[in-house]
Amino acid sequence: MANAPFNVMIVGQAGRLQYEALLFAASLRHCSPGFAGRLFVAVPQPGPLWDKDPGIRNQDVLQALADLGAEILPFESKLFGAAYPYGNKIEALQALPEGEPFVFFDTDTLITGELAEVPFDFSRPSASLRVEGTWPKPTLYGPGYAGIWQALYDRFGLDFLSSLDLSQPDEYWKRYLYFNAGFFYGACPRAFGKRFLVYAQSVRNDPPQELAGQSLDPWLDQIVLPLVIHSFGGGRDALPAGYLDGEVSCHYRLFPLLYARESDRVVEVLQEVAAPNRIKKVLKGYEPIKRMVYQGRGEKVRALFDRKNLPRREQAIRNRIKSEGFWMR
């Protein structure tokens, strides 16, 4: 499966995500001319799990996506919907072509290099290691990290010990397999998605008692993702470092954070792909992009920080931006 052709999927819907999807598509075409797969923008359809129509109805956005070769991929929300929109990335996998390797990216990502040169081995799935120890939060009376994670591996008949990074100390979060769900990949989206859905449903509906006191929202996708990846023979070392979340992609998350902390290359790509008039006229419909990218507020945010000496905690970066009146999302 190494170096196999592959498809890319992002999730787009009404509001912020449709504009991020357009920026993603523009950056993919600009920075990765060698990508020969299909780009799918998965769009949830109206249904009983949505209180408002989540679809993309902005014709200018749809036309701009089509001009960039993106394919709209409708899918039905059967389990999550508005109650847990992070579940879109799980449910949308079932709509992708069966048996064709895939890479999923969160929409708030820019492609900054040649995606076709990333040495994916789709037989060994993996995901983003640009992650903090957000889950679990062991309580005073236990169990600790090991007890919580072991209960999850046991639930699904997985070998817990082989998932551990033994170079990290016991009861330190990095010892345990944990990913950011900002990107992940695998050999077959339907097989991957089906298992992802089964595991997520099991944990949500009947969490092991060791998870008492642990929050599942918004962490459910990131709790279950390492279990799915491990079950398919993947892991933390399956993809060489420096490609995704490195030279080839940037999961910026929010535009003020992008300007505050990302590299000059990322800002350069953002400015370049947002510049063509046919893209600009559409993106100006979203206030944070209009203010940050086109009206110079992003450069003012950038001037507040030294990228070589950033605050260690993201909250400190956010607070500084807010105190200057530049925070937008």
Side-chain angles (χ1 to χ4, degrees):
M1 297 296 292
N3 299 316
F6 61 92
N7 299 318
V8 166
M9 183 188 88
I10 58 177
V11 173
Q13 61 188 81
R16 170 175 59 90
L17 268 63
Q18 64 186 331
Y19 297 104
E20 292 176 351
L22 179 53
L23 267 178
F24 178 93
S27 70
L28 175 67
R29 298 311 184 198
H30 181 75
C31 294
S32 183
F35 173 66
R38 298 163 75 184
L39 169 60
F40 293 101
V41 181
V43 179
Q45 298 304 287
L49 297 183
W50 295 99
D51 47 6
K52 294 189 292 187
D53 182 354
I56 300 176
R57 299 289 174 249
N58 185 314
Q59 293 303 310
D60 291 336
V61 170
L62 290 170
Q63 185 60 56
L65 286 169
D67 291 345
L68 291 164
E71 301 178 47
I72 300 298
L73 185 72
F75 71 94
E76 186 180 351
S77 301
K78 298 179 180 178
L79 284 172
F80 297 112
Y84 188 68
Y86 298 100
N88 283 339
K89 67 183 70 174
I90 303 174
E91 298 200 72
L93 291 169
Q94 294 298 315
L96 284 173
E98 187 170 11
E100 297 184 12
F102 73 95
V103 185
F104 165 83
F105 288 99
D106 269 347
T107 322
D108 49 359
T109 300
L110 289 174
I111 299 302
T112 55
E114 182 51 78
L115 193 60
E117 294 178 0
V118 177
F120 294 110
D121 178 354
F122 291 99
S123 67
R124 295 189 63 219
S126 195
S128 173
L129 289 169
R130 189 176 180 180
V131 64
E132 297 178 348
T134 47
W135 194 93
K137 297 294 186 186
T139 61
L140 181 61
Y141 300 104
Y145 285 96
I148 291 168
W149 281 115
Q150 172 128 30
L152 288 163
Y153 281 77
D154 290 349
R155 163 69 63 90
F156 303 110
L158 303 174
D159 178 35
F160 173 60
L161 292 179
S162 64
S163 74
L164 300 177
D165 179 354
L166 299 179
S167 71
Q168 300 289 345
D170 194 29
E171 291 302 315
Y172 179 53
W173 71 270
K174 286 189 176 181
R175 184 178 177 91
Y176 310 94
L177 197 60
Y178 190 52
F179 297 106
N180 185 308
F183 80 77
F184 54 83
Y185 62 87
C188 173
R190 298 203 185 175
F192 194 100
K194 182 178 180 180
R195 194 169 297 176
F196 207 165
L197 202 60
V198 167
Y199 286 11
Q201 197 172 9
S202 174
V203 172
R204 184 187 68 169
N205 296 347
D206 181 28
Q209 64 180 16
E210 288 84 355
L211 271 63
Q214 299 297 325
S215 174
L216 301 182
D217 190 354
W219 311 116
L220 180 63
D221 60 332
Q222 293 192 178
I223 296 166
V224 173
L225 182 59
L227 307 171
V228 177
I229 285 173
H230 187 68
S231 76
F232 280 107
R236 60 176 66 78
D237 60 346
L239 184 67
Y243 289 95
L244 301 189
D245 295 330
E247 292 297 314
V248 177
S249 73
C250 172
H251 185 200
Y252 59 85
R253 295 190 24 239
L254 296 161
F255 291 103
L257 292 178
L258 185 158
Y259 279 99
R261 67 186 180 186
E262 302 300 347
S263 69
D264 290 346
R265 168 63 178 163
V266 172
V267 174
E268 177 186 308
V269 167
L270 172 61
Q271 302 288 152
E272 286 178 355
V273 303
N277 282 329
R278 68 184 187 281
I279 301 290
K280 182 189 298 187
K281 70 177 184 179
V282 181
L283 292 178
K284 278 187 171 181
Y286 181 55
E287 196 73 6
I289 295 178
K290 179 181 177 182
R291 300 289 185 204
M292 287 278 161
V293 179
Y294 297 117
Q295 295 184 352
R297 190 175 289 187
E299 291 302 327
K300 292 178 180 178
V301 170
R302 196 157 182 80
L304 297 174
F305 297 94
D306 174 4
R307 251 68 58 198
K308 296 178 181 178
N309 189 30
L310 287 169
R312 291 183 62 187
R313 295 181 61 83
E314 181 182 299
Q315 191 60 50
I317 299 175
R318 289 171 175 249
N319 290 345
R320 178 74 196 281
I321 299 170
K322 289 174 183 177
S323 72
E324 298 290 337
F326 295 145
W327 184 257
M328 303 186 79
R329 65 168 304 164

